[in-house]
Amino acid sequence: MAAQNGNIYRKERDSLGWSRELAAEKLIMSNDKLERIENNKQVPNPLDVLTMSDVYCAPELCNYYCHYECEIGREYVPKITESNLPNIVIKLLDSVYRSSDIHRVLLNITADGIISDDELPIFIKIQDTLEDLSQATEELQICIEKKIDNKEISKDLYDDLKRTIHK
């Protein structure tokens, strides 16, 4: 994930063709701090990452930070590996298909409040399937955010529809 000259944060800035000075100005961050972050001399704080993600139109920076640089995220946040919408949808549908009968099996396993030794292997497979579903969902969300950032999807329309649907 790291760029040859610097890390992912540098790579994203370079992809925009911005000088460090211009990026620091847009990020409202000192040039020295940005240099330290880009050269792995300082881990950015979460607010720095959110700002870079927003200013660089790179929502994948948040996943990168959470998966690689946050103590809690290393344990719980899956690494996003796919950014191509058709591939994400195929992965998501495969996960949904594999999870279609999970509810029955899960109810049978956990009905007594105990996961026995003989139930444990199938329970682990269920966990793996649900983790795949969660990862595909996160990949889809980042893909949609990128499409919004790139003006392929109207942010206003997206936000309006989400509000309407969630009422």
Side-chain angles (χ1 to χ4, degrees), residues 86-126:
N87 290 347
I88 292 169
V89 170
I90 289 168
K91 190 175 180 180
L92 185 61
L93 291 175
D94 177 58
S95 297
V96 168
Y97 175 76
R98 286 185 291 124
S99 67
S100 63
D101 288 331
I102 283 179
H103 66 283
R104 285 187 216 107
V105 177
L106 199 52
L107 282 172
N108 288 336
I109 289 174
T110 60
D112 60 1
I114 299 169
I115 300 171
S116 64
D117 290 350
D118 62 316
E119 294 170 326
L120 194 54
I122 190 116
F123 185 79
I124 291 170
K125 285 183 182 178
I126 289 171

Side-chain angles (χ1 to χ4, degrees), residues 40-103:
N40 297 316
K41 294 177 183 172
Q42 177 178 339
V43 175
N45 67 51
L47 186 56
D48 293 333
V49 177
L50 283 170
T51 303
M52 283 188 276
S53 172
D54 184 44
V55 170
Y56 294 167
C57 295
E60 65 275 13
L61 291 179
C62 293
N63 176 264
Y64 178 89
Y65 174 83
C66 290
H67 182 75
Y68 290 103
E69 296 176 338
C70 170
E71 293 295 324
I72 296 169
R74 280 189 207 126
E75 183 70 27
Y76 295 104
V77 175
K79 174 184 167 189
I80 300 305
T81 57
E82 187 59 62
S83 62
N84 178 289
L85 184 57
N87 290 347
I88 292 169
V89 170
I90 289 168
K91 190 175 180 180
L92 185 61
L93 291 175
D94 177 58
S95 297
V96 168
Y97 175 76
R98 286 185 291 124
S99 67
S100 63
D101 288 331
I102 283 179
H103 66 283

Side-chain angles (χ1 to χ4, degrees), residues 128-164:
D128 289 345
T129 299
L130 293 174
E131 286 175 16
D132 290 346
L133 183 59
S134 175
Q135 180 171 351
T137 303
E138 288 297 316
E139 288 171 351
L140 182 61
Q141 182 62 40
I142 287 177
C143 180
I144 295 303
E145 289 175 19
K146 285 288 277 189
K147 289 187 175 298
I148 290 169
D149 289 343
N150 293 331
K151 310 285 189 257
E152 296 173 49
I153 295 174
S154 164
K155 179 170 179 30
D156 292 338
L157 177 59
Y158 182 82
D159 290 344
D160 288 346
L161 288 171
K162 276 190 80 163
R163 276 192 296 279
T164 302

